[in-house]
Amino acid sequence: MTGSLPSTPATLLHYRSSVFAPLALLAASQLDLFSALRHGPRSAARLAADIGAKPDKLSVLLHALVQAGLLEKDGDNFANTAESGHFLARGAPGFVGDWWKLDQDFWPAVMKTAKTLRTGQPQALHDCANMTETEMSDFFGGLHGFAISTGRFLGARPEFGGFANLVDVGGGSGGVPIAVCEAYPALRATIIELPRVVPIARATLAAAGLSQRIDVIEANIVEAPPPGRYDAAVMRALIQVMGRDEAGRAIANIRPALAPGGWLYILSHIVDDTRIAPATAVGFNLVFLNIYHAGEAYSEGEYRAWLAEAGFTEVTIAYTVVPGGMSLITARNPG
Ligand SMILES: C[S@@+](CC[C@H](N)C(=O)[O-])C[C@H]1O[C@@H](n2cnc3c(N)ncnc32)[C@H](O)[C@@H]1O
């Protein structure tokens, strides 16, 4: 080491204090505080009554949220910022859904990283077969909002107007096909899911009034190509829950289900080949380490190799463009 020594552990101090803003955001979301402010500024006492919190204690959180740039304060009143009001308040046009139902599970999982590394066993294992109904409902409830936004994002691509049918592999609660089908009234869609998730998908589709246009098929994409022929296939947050062998097989098995010229859309946390960017994917790798035996934010190079092996062409990648921060890979079945 050359030169003078740093005078303070600035990076350490920065990270020690930066943990609090996300936790204040989580608490506010759990309390549905941004929704309570949707109709205008409120005092701490009025807000506490609205959300069922202790008024003297709530003021501490409100000031932390102002400090974090998530609320504004005017006199004794607190108000949403333009961003909080648009994205975090239930019923607002940009509402991103209950993302926090995932993060209240993911953040404590990351706190187990040292033990996971010492034992070699994920200390916050997500095993669909053994999750309680509440855990399943929180997991898919947490995914659903950004899945809907992702469906709108994909549906805005010009080629979607030419698709007659689409398959969402590992479609979960069906957020992507629901949003795409709402944008294209003639489009039909199919969700491929594992047995435990099929009833969750069916329930959400029924609530959205789309059971007639979106089918749910129980199938395992790692084992065989799914039934049917589709113009487009979507895999959102799917490959990253799998080990490397399974990931390669899932990508290989979707190609025979695509029509010649059909498109595959993979939406995942993906690291570039340096493995230190983008930051969101690098961070999510810590989550995956603790909740899956083998899931990972794989690298661009790994995705390109699986796609080439499966015979896909015209592969493109756009980092972190997907609502919620995932990256998008597109690839084509040449026929
Ligand atoms: C993280 S969730 C994502 C759900 C949905 N795509 C979304 O973005 O909201 C991963 C989903 O993939 C499904 N899945 C995992 N392995 C699968 C397989 N081999 N075949 C079909 N679906 C699978 C799971 O059941 C789960 O619903």
Side-chain angles (χ1 to χ4, degrees):
M1 200 190 315
T2 56
S4 58
L5 289 171
S7 59
T8 57
T11 309
L12 165 67
L13 297 180
H14 166 70
Y15 287 130
R16 279 203 78 204
S17 60
S18 51
V19 72
F20 299 116
L23 294 173
L25 169 60
L26 177 62
S29 301
Q30 289 168 328
L31 291 164
D32 213 5
L33 189 148
F34 302 106
S35 307
L37 286 172
R38 185 153 181 231
H39 301 294
R42 297 279 187 271
S43 66
R46 167 84 192 272
L47 199 48
D50 288 351
I51 64 174
K54 307 286 176 207
D56 48 337
K57 308 276 183 188
L58 183 63
S59 155
V60 172
L61 176 65
L62 295 173
H63 286 99
L65 292 165
V66 174
Q67 196 283 326
L70 290 157
L71 291 184
E72 288 165 355
K73 187 181 181 194
D74 183 10
D76 286 339
N77 282 334
F78 295 87
N80 282 329
T81 62
E83 184 181 322
S84 302
H86 185 63
F87 292 111
L88 303 180
R90 202 170 294 283
F95 181 56
V96 294
D98 294 327
W99 59 273
W100 53 273
K101 289 186 175 175
L102 276 188
D103 288 5
Q104 69 184 3
D105 179 34
F106 286 171
W107 297 353
V110 176
M111 293 181 72
K112 300 178 189 236
T113 301
K115 192 163 181 197
T116 290
L117 293 176
R118 283 231 162 83
T119 59
Q121 296 299 320
Q123 295 295 305
L125 183 65
H126 264 220
D127 174 5
C128 247
N130 293 315
M131 281 162 80
T132 65
E133 290 303 317
T134 307
E135 286 168 341
M136 290 289 277
S137 159
D138 278 358
F139 184 64
F140 289 103
L143 283 162
H144 193 69
F146 278 120
I148 292 273
S149 313
T150 300
R152 292 186 187 135
F153 161 83
L154 283 177
R157 295 175 65 92
E159 70 271 21
F160 269 69
F163 296 154
N165 52 37
L166 169 148
V167 61
D168 187 357
V169 187
S173 62
V176 169
I178 286 173
V180 178
C181 282
E182 280 173 356
Y184 295 99
L187 184 72
R188 290 195 62 91
T190 301
I191 292 174
I192 304 293
E193 256 301 350
L194 298 176
R196 179 100 199 261
V197 185
V198 165
I200 294 173
R202 291 211 169 111
T204 326
L205 297 177
L210 283 166
S211 304
Q212 302 304 313
R213 281 175 59 205
I214 306 178
D215 295 328
V216 186
I217 297 179
E218 185 183 311
N220 186 329
I221 191 64
V222 174
E223 288 173 358
R229 254 311 167 88
Y230 306 94
D231 299 321
V234 173
M235 293 178 165
R236 177 185 186 257
L238 174 73
I239 300 300
Q240 65 199 27
V241 311
M242 297 179 169
R244 284 183 168 74
D245 285 354
E246 293 176 301
R249 289 210 294 277
I251 289 173
N253 280 336
I254 196 58
R255 194 178 148 213
L258 276 170
W263 287 98
L264 171 62
Y265 301 88
I266 297 177
L267 308 112
S268 285
H269 289 295
I270 300 168
V271 291
D272 71 15
D273 292 333
T274 69
R275 295 189 184 268
I276 56 172
T280 317
V282 176
F284 265 91
N285 253 338
L286 294 175
V287 175
F288 300 146
L289 196 65
N290 285 286
I291 68 170
Y292 297 130
H293 281 294
E296 200 173 314
Y298 293 110
S299 69
E300 176 181 340
E302 288 173 296
Y303 275 97
R304 284 188 182 277
W306 290 321
L307 288 161
E309 177 77 12
F312 281 98
T313 56
E314 299 179 53
V315 177
T316 70
I317 180 161
Y319 282 105
T320 66
V321 294
V322 181
M326 290 188 204
S327 298
L328 169 67
I329 288 179
T330 63
R332 201 158 201 193
N333 173 22

